Amino acid sequence: MFSNANLDVFNNSDTHINMLLYEESDEKIYNDLNMNIIIGDVNSILYTVLKVDKIIEFEGEYCYSFKFSNKIKGIIKGVKPILLLPKARNQVRFSGKVGMNNCINDKLDITNELSSSSSSRIVFSTIYATYDGELYEGLLYGNQFLGFVPSHTLSILQRLTKEFQINNGSIVFLDSKLRKQAGISKNDLTVYKSEFFIASEDIVRFIYEKKRCWIPVKDTSLGAVLKKHSPTTINEALFSSVAFQLNKKLTKSHSYYLKILKRELKKVDANNES
């Protein structure tokens, strides 16, 4: 499931993923990889989100090092967990027929009536999940958690702020599925500004006659748009999660030292005035 290179990056990055166990098991929790001392059993941590800081391949199986209780770390192997990987929050849209009936939602008993009729809605992807070798993403609509869907069923809305004009005779649409027409451009010299770009379908969102509308890039003067890569495999998702967490830590660190610098500069100014 994971490449050795990606496991090395994760294990040495001071980042984490989360793990959720859902099936009863006879497996025990040990204090280290030697597995001589039992400190608990798997059944005592079912449906508990656990913080994993190391994944080690040992004797053909993955062993997970996680925070068991207080400062005690535990090691388990021989389990089939759902792994939850932190990620950047993205606006996404269902790229095809919405399918919430899948293994991971069934295992977690997640059902949601809203999701079955929301194929045209813009929702937020907030977390990666892996189950049985497949990559999923957890979705939010407003404050409501919809459930998990396979990553390949989603299209990411990439932020794009760029001026453009519409080609003469082009159709503007009210929806991202390009089904409802908003109008047809005729000798329109207006300069518009894009808001979002869906790379998988090469369309942009913008304000047209005071409405949020969509148009294919080919029908505009935008030209080629740089497409951001999105993870399509579990390995890519793990690497992306590590990069996201490290960047978040770096941003926090910069903010912290900037506050200190501003405080010290105020002291200098105060001393100069006195």
Side-chain angles (χ1 to χ4, degrees):
M1 182 167 65
F2 296 114
S3 69
N4 290 334
N6 271 356
L7 285 184
D8 286 343
V9 169
F10 171 68
N11 290 336
N12 293 288
S13 65
D14 192 28
T15 59
H16 76 281
I17 63 174
N18 294 309
M19 174 175 65
L20 186 64
L21 300 171
Y22 55 87
E23 288 184 338
E24 292 188 359
S25 170
D26 294 329
E27 295 293 338
K28 304 301 180 184
I29 303 171
Y30 300 89
N31 70 322
D32 58 32
L33 276 175
N34 293 324
M35 300 185 181
N36 294 322
I37 301 176
I38 297 173
I39 59 175
D41 62 84
V42 168
N43 293 337
S44 67
I45 54 173
L46 293 181
Y47 294 100
T48 301
V49 177
L50 305 166
K51 188 175 181 178
V52 175
D53 61 359
K54 295 282 189 300
I55 303 175
I56 304 107
E57 195 166 4
F58 183 70
E59 296 181 348
E61 292 183 296
Y62 286 121
C63 299
Y64 301 93
S65 168
F66 65 100
K67 185 178 179 181
F68 179 50
S69 63
N70 296 326
K71 296 183 179 180
I72 299 175
K73 285 190 177 182
I75 297 283
I76 56 173
K77 73 169 187 174
V79 294
K80 189 179 178 182
I82 292 172
L83 298 179
L84 304 170
L85 288 64
K87 68 180 291 292
R89 181 184 172 108
N90 296 115
Q91 276 190 283
V92 296
R93 196 210 66 188
F94 297 104
S95 57
K97 184 179 179 181
V98 180
M100 300 299 287
N101 296 322
N102 54 56
C103 295
I104 191 170
N105 287 333
D106 290 343
K107 291 294 182 184
L108 299 178
D109 197 25
I110 296 174
T111 57
N112 197 304
E113 293 300 323
L114 175 63
S115 61
S116 62
S117 61
S118 59
S119 61
S120 62
R121 297 182 186 276
I122 302 298
V123 296
F124 284 93
S125 168
T126 58
I127 196 165
Y128 291 121
T130 71
Y131 174 77
D132 202 21
E134 188 164 3
L135 183 64
Y136 295 82
E137 295 185 37
L139 304 180
L140 277 180
Y141 179 66
N143 294 322
Q144 188 173 12
F145 182 70
L146 300 181
F148 295 95
V149 297
S151 286
H152 65 80
T153 65
L154 298 173
S155 295
I156 295 178
L157 275 73
Q158 177 181 323
R159 177 72 68 177
L160 178 70
T161 305
K162 193 173 180 180
E163 292 184 342
F164 68 93
Q165 289 182 295
I166 300 174
N167 298 339
N168 189 39
S170 298
I171 300 174
V172 179
F173 297 88
L174 289 168
D175 64 315
S176 59
K177 295 285 187 179
L178 307 185
R179 294 170 180 165
K180 302 175 184 177
Q181 287 190 22
I184 300 177
S185 172
K186 293 182 180 179
N187 300 316
D188 188 354
L189 300 178
T190 306
V191 176
Y192 297 96
K193 184 176 288 186
S194 61
E195 296 179 333
F196 286 101
F197 169 63
I198 296 181
S200 59
E201 295 165 49
D202 217 27
I203 58 176
V204 291
R205 193 180 85 179
F206 67 109
I207 301 298
Y208 178 79
E209 295 182 350
K210 298 182 180 180
K211 296 177 182 177
R212 283 194 174 96
C213 294
W214 295 84
I215 191 170
V217 171
K218 66 180 179 61
D219 293 334
T220 73
S221 61
L222 280 169
V225 178
L226 183 64
K227 300 177 181 180
K228 294 181 180 178
H229 178 72
S230 299
T232 57
T233 67
I234 293 173
N235 266 308
E236 289 179 353
L238 179 61
F239 188 84
S240 176
S241 181
V242 169
F244 164 69
Q245 292 178 70
L246 291 177
N247 184 62
K248 195 173 180 180
K249 286 183 178 182
L250 185 60
T251 301
K252 286 183 178 179
S253 176
H254 283 171
S255 297
Y256 172 74
Y257 286 110
L258 186 59
K259 286 181 181 178
I260 293 176
L261 179 60
K262 286 181 177 179
R263 187 173 64 231
E264 293 304 314
L265 287 174
K266 284 182 179 180
K267 289 181 181 179
V268 172
D269 289 340
N271 290 335
N272 289 338
E273 289 176 1
S274 61

